Structure formats: structure tokens, C-alpha cells
Amino acid sequence: MRCINRVRLFTAVLLLTACFHLCGCREEEPKNTMVTEFEKENYNANLYEGKLYAEELCVSLEQVALAEYQEDTDLHAAALFDLADHQVLYSFRVHEKLYPASVTKIMTALLALERGNLEDQVTISSHAAAAAFPPDASLCGLIEGDVWSLNDLVNALMIRSGNDAATAIAEYIAGSEDAFVAMMNQRAEELMANNTHFMNPHGLHDDAHYTTAYDIYLIFKECIKDERFIEIIKKDSFTASYVKSDGSPGSSEFSPTNYYARGLADRPGNVTIVGGKTGTTGEAGNCLVLLEQGEDGDSYISIVMGAPDKAVLYTDMTSLILAIPDDAPADEAGS
């Protein structure tokens, strides 16, 4: 079966969940246990899901192999999604919980774009200043009292992957980092990223800060609906202009953390790499989520999580992208 009536299925899930809560049964189990079990019984691997929240989703509850791609089982997870035909082209451990590192920042950027005015000016607090972070953290060099536009902070967040920029954005949007984290978790729930839990806006390690490759796909897919997000991740460099605490002008130039954008990794020739987000911590390994576009205009999201080093990360990502079929199957239902 390739196509299901999502409305009928979702209604059935809601009714089952309501009955579960009314009965007061097994409160110690996670809230999504019944939903997950129901889905496992009613979904086939690599099938197209109907409209859920006004968009079509790629769905896979099983491993999906991809011809021409040599699977690397040392990775935490990997996936390839065909957005045009709503297909999971490759799926490896996509529902296993893992640490996302700075891939977290796609959610921070999403909320900044959805809830903020990019022209607004943000005064950097002591909590958001670079001095408040470990010296080996990825930082933009924000200084307490400096004034940045939200636009420049979001660009610095995605291009330089500044943890200080993430905190400044969180405080601007929600008033505090804790309040912003609550927004992140609420937005994840709205996107049905049910295996995600955030503890901060930047991705520095916390045992309770986790997601899955599939949830990253859901969040990133929401991000790329906004053309402003795409314009940011396409950039090969960015220069921020701000006002220092003494009133004098300042500027900082940032290069992408993405090796494809920096020319440090050879780009696959079968698609155009639009851009994406990297993430690296000792616990998470080396991670990367990308948006690609084929010559026919079809778009893809590729994800590699938990590579042991940058060389493996980009070798595996390149191999995954090169394995995109020349004629990925179209949606048979045409819906």
C-alpha cells in the first residue's frame, strides 16, 4: 500500500488516545506509546503519507536501503528524503534518539523567523555574550552591551553557528532562555517531532537534549518553507554590522561551518547543494543536514548524524547524495 487516508487514521489515533487517558491506564508509559504502536501496525515501510498539517510527509518506520550507497553502520543515523515525490529514499536508524549538537539551531532559526522582526535591534546581555561560554565553543564573539539586528544574529547563528547568537536570539524572542526552550519544545510537538526534547537553543551537550534524524527532517522541512531561511543557508560568507557598547560601529565577517560552502569538500555533481546546518560535539559526533536541488528542480533533504570525524561525515554525505536515483519514483496516487 502506498497511500492512506491520513485524516481517518489520525482521527482513529486521537480516539484511541482519548480512551487511553479516560481509562487512566499505565500512566508510567510515555504519552506517545499508544500512538507509536498503532502506527507500527498500520504503516508500511517507505510509504507516502497523506495531508497531516497542510503538507505532505515522507514516512518510514523501517530501514530503507538505497542502491549505489554503501551503508556506514558506524553512524548514529542517516537519511535521504525526496521532497517532490514524498519518498524516503534512504533510512538508517532514523527514529533512534541521538544528540543533535548545533543542528539544534535550525529550530532556533525557525522560531526567530516565525516570531521575530528581523529589523529589530537586540542588545547583547551578559548571559548571551561570548565570555559566558567555554572558550572552545563555537562563538560569534558577541560582547555585552553591543547592539545587533535580529537579521544579523540569525545569519551568524546559521553561518558561523554561534552559541552566543543562539542565546541572544532566545532572550529577544522569549525574554529568557528557559522560556524560549519551552517554545522550542512546543513547536517540536506541533511539528509532530515527538522524539525530540530541547534543553537549550544552541545544542551544547545535555543528556536530556535529544532528537532523531526523522525529527530533524520534520523541523528542517518546516524551515525551508521560508525563503528567508533558504537565502541565509545559501551564503558562502556573511558580514555582520552592529553598534558597539560605546556607540561606535563594528563589523564581523563569518565563513560557513559547512565544508561544501567553504570549498573544503568536493560538491557532488548530480545536484546543487543549497545549504544546511552542521553540528559537532564529543557526544553527538559530526552531524550535517542539507537541502539539495536536482537539475529537474526536485528538492531533497539529506542527513548524516554521528560521523567520527569530518572526513567520514563528508565522504558519507557525498556518497549518499550521489546515490540519488536519476528517476526517483513518482507518487503513484497523484495526491
Side-chain angles (χ1 to χ4, degrees), residues 53-174:
Y53 47 92
E55 287 297 326
E56 294 143 344
L57 298 177
C58 305
V59 177
S60 174
L61 289 177
E62 305 293 342
Q63 310 284 78
V64 177
L66 178 60
E68 309 301 327
Y69 176 63
Q70 184 65 43
E71 187 171 81
D72 185 349
T73 57
D74 289 332
L75 297 176
H76 294 175
L80 179 64
F81 302 92
D82 180 346
L83 302 185
D85 294 325
H86 322 297
Q87 294 289 314
V88 182
L89 299 180
Y90 178 72
S91 170
F92 176 68
R93 297 176 180 164
V94 293
H95 297 292
E96 293 188 19
K97 291 179 181 177
L98 47 79
Y99 301 126
S102 285
V103 174
T104 298
K105 294 180 175 103
I106 63 175
M107 176 60 88
T108 303
L110 176 64
L111 288 175
L113 294 171
E114 289 181 340
R115 303 195 179 205
N117 182 341
L118 294 183
E119 296 180 359
D120 279 358
Q121 303 298 301
V122 180
T123 301
I124 307 305
S125 72
S126 60
H127 183 60
F133 292 84
D136 59 345
S138 180
L139 300 166
C140 297
L142 303 187
I143 297 175
E144 181 181 0
D146 287 355
V147 180
W148 285 57
S149 70
L150 181 62
N151 178 71
D152 283 8
L153 285 173
V154 176
N155 275 269
L157 173 82
M158 293 301 298
I159 295 171
R160 177 65 186 93
S161 195
N163 297 319
D164 46 356
T167 301
I169 290 168
E171 293 181 335
Y172 158 78
I173 294 292

Side-chain angles (χ1 to χ4, degrees), residues 155-218:
N155 275 269
L157 173 82
M158 293 301 298
I159 295 171
R160 177 65 186 93
S161 195
N163 297 319
D164 46 356
T167 301
I169 290 168
E171 293 181 335
Y172 158 78
I173 294 292
S176 72
E177 187 171 343
D178 287 345
F180 186 79
V181 170
M183 287 183 180
M184 295 171 74
N185 287 317
Q186 176 62 38
R187 194 69 179 97
E189 184 177 340
E190 292 169 356
L191 294 172
M192 299 198 76
N194 295 322
N195 290 311
T196 291
H197 184 261
F198 295 114
M199 292 295 291
N200 59 61
H202 40 66
L204 286 176
H205 182 72
D206 187 301
D207 286 346
H209 186 102
Y210 55 82
T211 187
T212 67
Y214 187 74
D215 285 3
I216 289 169
Y217 151 73
L218 292 175

Side-chain angles (χ1 to χ4, degrees), residues 309-324:
D309 53 46
K310 291 288 192 295
V312 173
L313 176 67
Y314 287 93
T315 296
D316 281 6
M317 179 62 82
T318 297
S319 298
L320 186 59
I321 294 170
L322 287 173
I324 293 174

